Every structure is written in structure tokens, then in C-alpha cells.
Amino acid sequence: MTQRGKNYIEKAKLVDRTQLYDLEDAIKLVQETARAKFDETVELHVKLGVDSRHADQQVRGAVVLPHGTGKSLKVAVFAKGEKLKEAEEAGADFVGGEELAQKIQQESWFGFDVAIATPDMMGVVGKIGRILGPKGLMPNPKSGTVTFDVAQAIQDVKAGKVEYRLDKGNIIHVPVGKVSFGDAKLNDNLKTIIGAIIKAKPSAAKGRYLRSVSISTTMGPGIKINGQKLTEAAATKVEETA
């Protein structure tokens, strides 16, 4: 059994584990439970009513958070020709082709947070897929990281683009900002990512889609959110914009 510190135990007492909080109340509470001396990341955890073992029930995508994540991300771009120059001018931290792939393969170098590749470089990148994949760094068209528009892709990442995808337990884990963001910014970011996840619901998914939703700080207790209300709010928003 995991041993919890005194500080964690005291903060956990603020949370009613049997209650499903409204989003706004959960956001206030997650800030109260932040216990570290550093500016903790606020994380969203969503268990979905799908089976990730089936191709037609995969949930994966990316979205730019209105207020970013609060973290400065380093971007590596695999490209050639004019696209190398375009990537450099757009603010990529590392650019290259086969030599960049070799550096990763031979030196186990991972000095970047996001990898972007032009479609004509996927043959090269694919050779190190076994290395990039387990670390969540493999470029993917669904997340917008395989594209010829490298400038836009870099801009999106630097602006706070986050990727969401199911793990083996059918759960999505994604950062949504920092505790210091405050109520309004965290609310905007959470509604954006939750709305994207709801919109990405596979047609093959049956029954309740949002099985459980919770937020927490990096080192704080989980706070359960009323997923039914989130689903209803998303449906209302769709009807209003239709």
C-alpha cells in the first residue's frame, strides 16, 4: 500500500470522495489541494465507455488549449529541403532528417517533447518508431504532427496544443494547465479538452461514454466531476451552434 505524507492526508480531507462535483467547484477545490512548493500541473483523467482493443473504438486527437499548458515545449522536426528552413524560422528547437533519427537511435537522445514530421520523412521516422512510440513521441496524422505545414504545426504546439489518447485501461490522461492559472483559465482549458473528447466519441461506442471524470494536481488527491452534466452541457452547446 502506498504511504501518504501528512500534508497529502490533510489536503485529501478537503475532498468528499463520494461526491461528484460540478466543474466549477472541482476547479476551486483542486487549487486548494495543491500542496507542493512548485507550481503544480492540473491533470484531467477521463475513463471512457469504449474498448481500446477495437480499432473502431479508438479515441485520439489533439486540441489547442486557449491558455496553453504553462509548460514550454521543445519541438523536433523531421524534414528536408525548404521545409527545414521553414521549421527553423517557425521556432523549432531541433530540425533534421536522417541524421536526427540516427542521433535518437544511436545516442538514445530525447531532448524534445513533441516530434513533427513531413509526410515524405515518415519512411525515415518509421525506422525509429519502436523507440519513439513507447515514449509517446511518434508523429501521427491524427494529432496533426505529420504535415507539410510545419510552421502551423509548430505554432500550435508552442501555443499549448495537447494530444489525448486512450491508454490500455481506456483512460485518457492529459495536462490542462497550472494551479497558478486560476479559475477562469482552468475552466476554459478543461471545457475545451472535455468538449473535444466528447466530440471524438466513436459511433461504435455504446452506453455511457464518460464513465468517470476527475482532476488532480501533480501531487494532490483526485476530485471526481459530474460527467453527466458535462455531457449535457456539451450537447446543449452543439444545439446552440447548429
Side-chain angles (χ1 to χ4, degrees), residues 182-204:
D183 293 4
K185 290 183 178 180
L186 286 174
N187 194 311
D188 286 346
N189 280 0
L190 278 161
K191 285 183 176 178
T192 297
I193 184 66
I194 291 171
I197 292 171
I198 291 175
K199 188 176 180 180
K201 178 181 179 180
S203 57

Side-chain angles (χ1 to χ4, degrees), residues 129-197:
R130 292 181 181 178
I131 301 173
L132 297 178
K135 293 185 176 295
L137 295 172
M138 186 66 182
N140 187 289
K142 291 183 178 180
S143 62
T145 49
V146 177
T147 176
F148 278 117
D149 193 352
V150 293
Q152 184 63 55
I154 294 167
Q155 181 180 325
D156 287 345
V157 171
K158 296 289 186 179
K161 185 176 185 178
V162 294
E163 183 178 354
Y164 58 89
R165 59 178 175 176
L166 291 173
D167 65 11
K168 292 182 179 179
N170 302 317
I171 302 173
I172 289 174
H173 308 275
V174 63
V176 294
K178 297 286 187 178
V179 170
S180 62
F181 278 19
D183 293 4
K185 290 183 178 180
L186 286 174
N187 194 311
D188 286 346
N189 280 0
L190 278 161
K191 285 183 176 178
T192 297
I193 184 66
I194 291 171
I197 292 171

Side-chain angles (χ1 to χ4, degrees), residues 93-114:
D93 299 279
F94 309 100
V95 297
E98 291 191 13
E99 74 283 1
L100 190 59
Q102 290 175 0
K103 181 178 177 68
I104 293 170
Q105 187 172 30
Q106 297 172 5
E107 302 176 20
S108 295
W109 173 76
F110 299 101
F112 54 97
D113 302 293
V114 179

Side-chain angles (χ1 to χ4, degrees), residues 1-228:
M1 183 179 292
T2 303
Q3 294 294 320
R4 298 294 190 181
K6 181 179 179 180
N7 198 1
Y8 177 95
I9 293 173
E10 288 301 313
K11 292 295 185 181
K13 290 179 181 179
L14 298 173
V15 182
D16 183 347
R17 301 300 294 271
T18 65
Q19 181 175 342
L20 295 178
Y21 291 88
D22 288 345
L23 181 61
E24 291 74 14
D25 294 332
I27 290 172
K28 291 183 182 297
L29 190 54
V30 80
Q31 294 170 86
E32 292 178 27
T33 59
R35 61 194 184 90
K37 294 181 179 179
F38 60 89
D39 190 9
E40 293 183 66
T41 295
V42 176
E43 302 167 352
L44 172 69
H45 311 279
V46 184
K47 183 174 180 61
L48 299 179
V50 298
D51 189 341
S52 60
R53 294 174 297 178
H54 300 293
D56 62 351
Q57 294 187 47
Q58 290 294 320
V59 179
R60 180 174 185 174
V63 64
V64 178
L65 299 179
H67 306 288
T69 62
K71 181 181 178 181
S72 179
L73 300 178
K74 291 188 179 298
V75 180
V77 176
F78 294 88
K80 58 185 177 182
E82 287 297 314
K83 291 299 176 179
L84 284 173
K85 182 179 180 181
E86 181 181 328
E88 289 178 341
E89 293 178 347
D93 299 279
F94 309 100
V95 297
E98 291 191 13
E99 74 283 1
L100 190 59
Q102 290 175 0
K103 181 178 177 68
I104 293 170
Q105 187 172 30
Q106 297 172 5
E107 302 176 20
S108 295
W109 173 76
F110 299 101
F112 54 97
D113 302 293
V114 179
I116 295 170
T118 52
D120 57 356
M121 287 299 296
M122 286 307 292
V124 172
V125 177
K127 294 177 182 179
I128 57 172
R130 292 181 181 178
I131 301 173
L132 297 178
K135 293 185 176 295
L137 295 172
M138 186 66 182
N140 187 289
K142 291 183 178 180
S143 62
T145 49
V146 177
T147 176
F148 278 117
D149 193 352
V150 293
Q152 184 63 55
I154 294 167
Q155 181 180 325
D156 287 345
V157 171
K158 296 289 186 179
K161 185 176 185 178
V162 294
E163 183 178 354
Y164 58 89
R165 59 178 175 176
L166 291 173
D167 65 11
K168 292 182 179 179
N170 302 317
I171 302 173
I172 289 174
H173 308 275
V174 63
V176 294
K178 297 286 187 178
V179 170
S180 62
F181 278 19
D183 293 4
K185 290 183 178 180
L186 286 174
N187 194 311
D188 286 346
N189 280 0
L190 278 161
K191 285 183 176 178
T192 297
I193 184 66
I194 291 171
I197 292 171
I198 291 175
K199 188 176 180 180
K201 178 181 179 180
S203 57
K206 305 299 180 183
R208 187 155 56 96
Y209 182 53
L210 299 184
R211 293 291 176 86
S212 69
V213 182
S214 66
I215 57 174
S216 67
T217 59
T218 307
M219 302 176 69
I223 301 166
K224 297 178 182 178
I225 297 174
N226 191 321
Q228 183 60 36

